[in-house]
Amino acid sequence: SLSCRLYCEEEKDPKRRSCQTVLAEALDIVVRSFAPILPHLAEEVFQHLHYKKDSEGVFRTGWINASSAWKKPGIEEAIEGACAMRDSFLGSISGKNALEYEAVIVIEPGLLFELMEALQAEETSSVSQLNEIMMASQTTLLSELPKETPADANIIKGTFLINLEGGDIREESSYKVIALPIAKAKCPRCRRYTSDSSSTPCPRCLKVIAGKGST
């Protein structure tokens, strides 16, 4: 998902820029944390950061100071819940290429479903945060099992304990994950199975390519 955001999205797309911001923040914290024991290495890293050209160096700019804006209520639980579902999804296809599948997640209406909606507003998406975590070509989020589910589908059941507000909000929710072979062709640009033809980029990539041509 990281490589897809950085190399497949449009240069100034918010998804790509937000990924770069997170990487820059993570690097800043890591470098400051080891600066006391590896001062020369830390200073050398800072000297090569092109976006810190006016920096006075790692030792003149203070200790780690992560912004409170990074702490968003519920986002940690949402990511952990999605990761639990991803483990169920990957376990159900036993080492096969996850991009050859669609991940169908079924959660009854409730807090867990709302947390997943924060990662994917659409019912089905190939570019949502939830799909990036699932590592599939596309992810479908539903509140009930679809009627057209194949009779031989391997339905993986699991539970996730939500713990919010320091334990004031606790709710154990169940979920189902189904891995369905995807019918579309592999996009020659992003390598996801989201294209109508193996010789034609998928709609997302066509949009990005068209945007590059117009700039």
Side-chain angles (χ1 to χ4, degrees), residues 13-209:
D13 187 282
K15 291 182 180 179
R16 183 175 184 273
R17 298 292 289 133
S18 65
C19 183
Q20 291 177 310
T21 299
V22 170
L23 290 174
E25 184 74 9
L27 178 61
D28 185 88
I29 291 174
V30 169
V31 173
R32 290 182 192 279
S33 66
F34 68 62
I37 55 175
L38 296 170
H40 298 293
L41 176 60
E43 191 61 39
E44 185 175 1
V45 171
F46 254 60
Q47 295 304 319
H48 284 81
L49 297 179
H50 65 87
Y51 52 86
K52 287 184 178 289
K53 290 182 178 179
D54 298 328
S55 173
E56 296 180 351
V58 65
F59 294 103
R60 292 178 178 269
T61 52
W63 184 235
I64 297 170
N65 185 26
S67 171
S68 59
W70 293 96
K71 187 66 175 178
K72 293 185 178 180
I75 194 66
E76 183 177 351
E77 293 293 316
I79 298 297
E80 289 181 356
C83 287
M85 296 173 199
R86 178 192 61 196
D87 292 344
S88 297
F89 167 66
L90 296 178
S92 71
I93 59 176
S94 59
K96 296 178 182 177
N97 184 1
L99 290 175
E100 295 179 0
Y101 291 85
E102 172 188 4
V104 178
I105 300 173
V106 182
I107 309 171
E108 292 185 359
L111 186 53
L112 183 58
F113 188 87
E114 292 174 5
L115 289 175
M116 292 306 106
E117 278 190 316
L119 301 177
Q120 177 169 304
E122 309 86 355
E123 183 175 284
T124 299
S125 177
S126 61
V127 297
S128 67
Q129 296 179 70
L130 179 57
N131 187 65
E132 289 183 348
I133 295 171
M134 296 301 293
M135 299 170 62
S137 272
Q138 71 179 32
T139 295
T140 296
L141 178 62
L142 302 170
S143 59
E144 59 182 16
L145 201 65
K147 295 179 180 179
E148 63 273 16
T149 302
D152 59 348
N154 184 16
I155 302 176
I156 305 298
K157 298 180 180 180
T159 60
F160 180 73
L161 178 62
I162 299 170
N163 190 345
L164 295 172
E165 303 295 336
D168 291 340
I169 301 176
R170 291 174 62 87
E171 181 179 304
E172 187 171 56
S173 302
S174 60
Y175 62 84
K176 299 182 181 74
V177 177
I178 312 167
L180 298 177
I182 201 155
K184 294 186 177 181
K186 181 193 286 187
C187 171
R189 183 173 180 271
C190 69
R191 305 300 180 183
R192 288 183 175 176
Y193 289 76
T194 52
S195 181
D196 295 328
S197 168
S198 58
S199 60
T200 306
C202 66
R204 187 273 301 271
C205 286
L206 284 173
K207 183 178 179 180
V208 172
I209 293 170

